[in-house]
Amino acid sequence: MAFALSPLPYADTALEPAISAETLSFHHGKHHQTYVDKMNAAIEGTPHADASLEAIVAASRGTNQGLFNNSAQTWNHAFYWHSMAPEATAPSADLAAKIDEAFGSLDVLKQQLKDRGLGHFASGWVWLAEKDGKLSIEETHDADTLADSGFNPLLVLDVWEHAYYLDHQNKRPAYLDAVVEGKLNLAFASENLARGTVWTYA
Ligand code: MN
């Protein structure tokens, strides 16, 4: 069964000015769509055709780099769209307490997300994640994902250049500042923490 491109959970203008409708038209409509299409082509007629996306990511890791890249990018981008909201959302009491425990405050977490995003060399992803009840910031390179990692990913930031080049050119700090300060969906992170199991693609 072919996977559909997961829809944006908001209008394509909803993240402006941090992320423009033009960026989303390419990033969601072209980049994300291409990952989905390439994955669908790779699984057609194989035992993967009836598997969940999460199972395909796990099964292809280390065994089929092309399928891993496209399935992980399909998952990562869907998770990324949900990690942002038109207006920043508040953490649950439980998430707020865990943020304070791990980072000292929400402001420190935000600064560390920006610092790790800026420091991440080349393309990849910066995650807020939970494992054994503790929060941490994790980084993955290129298409790599936390979907099958043993962590429970709570939210993610795309630091590939295609995420920000049209709006901010080479200024990754401006993109990170606009998203982390204005668009972070901590309600989504709270749902992921409360569920206690890895979010699934639908
Ligand atoms: Mn991307």
Side-chain angles (χ1 to χ4, degrees):
M1 182 192 71
F3 288 89
L5 175 66
S6 117
L8 290 176
Y10 32 68
D12 63 1
T13 54
L15 301 180
E16 292 182 342
I19 297 174
S20 66
E22 185 186 21
T23 288
L24 289 179
S25 76
F26 283 96
H27 198 182
H28 178 255
K30 305 292 186 191
H31 291 282
H32 194 184
Q33 180 73 64
T34 299
Y35 296 127
V36 174
D37 291 345
K38 287 186 173 178
M39 172 182 65
N40 281 332
I43 64 175
E44 187 178 0
T46 78
H48 293 305
D50 296 319
S52 70
L53 180 56
E54 292 75 21
I56 293 170
V57 169
S60 62
R61 178 185 288 279
T63 64
N64 182 337
Q65 191 65 41
L67 180 57
F68 177 78
N69 286 342
N70 286 300
S71 60
Q73 286 294 73
T74 295
W75 196 96
N76 288 346
H77 281 89
F79 193 77
Y80 168 62
W81 308 132
H82 286 282
S83 297
M84 300 179 289
E87 304 285 340
T89 60
S92 66
D94 188 30
L95 179 59
K98 282 190 157 41
I99 289 171
D100 288 347
E101 181 188 339
F103 302 99
S105 72
L106 179 56
D107 283 343
V108 174
L109 166 61
K110 288 178 175 175
Q111 189 60 51
Q112 290 191 14
L113 283 169
K114 291 189 283 188
D115 290 346
R116 295 286 291 273
L118 180 58
H120 186 92
F121 183 75
S123 295
W125 301 86
V126 176
W127 309 77
L128 176 65
E130 177 268 334
K131 191 178 200 177
D132 300 328
K134 302 278 190 205
L135 302 192
S136 60
I137 295 173
E138 303 296 325
E139 298 176 42
T140 60
H141 285 277
D142 300 322
D144 200 5
T145 183
L146 292 191
D148 62 330
S149 62
F151 285 94
N152 182 15
L154 304 183
L155 60 79
V156 76
L157 299 171
D158 188 340
V159 296
W160 287 56
E161 202 172 70
H162 66 216
Y164 56 87
Y165 197 83
L166 293 175
D167 299 322
H168 305 283
Q169 293 73 51
N170 63 321
K171 297 186 285 291
R172 191 189 287 183
Y175 156 72
L176 289 168
D177 197 57
V179 170
V180 169
E181 298 299 339
K183 304 296 180 186
L184 219 50
N185 192 354
L186 291 169
F188 176 64
S190 302
E191 292 168 16
N192 292 327
L193 178 67
R195 188 186 329 100
T197 56
V198 176
W199 178 86
T200 53
Y201 184 92

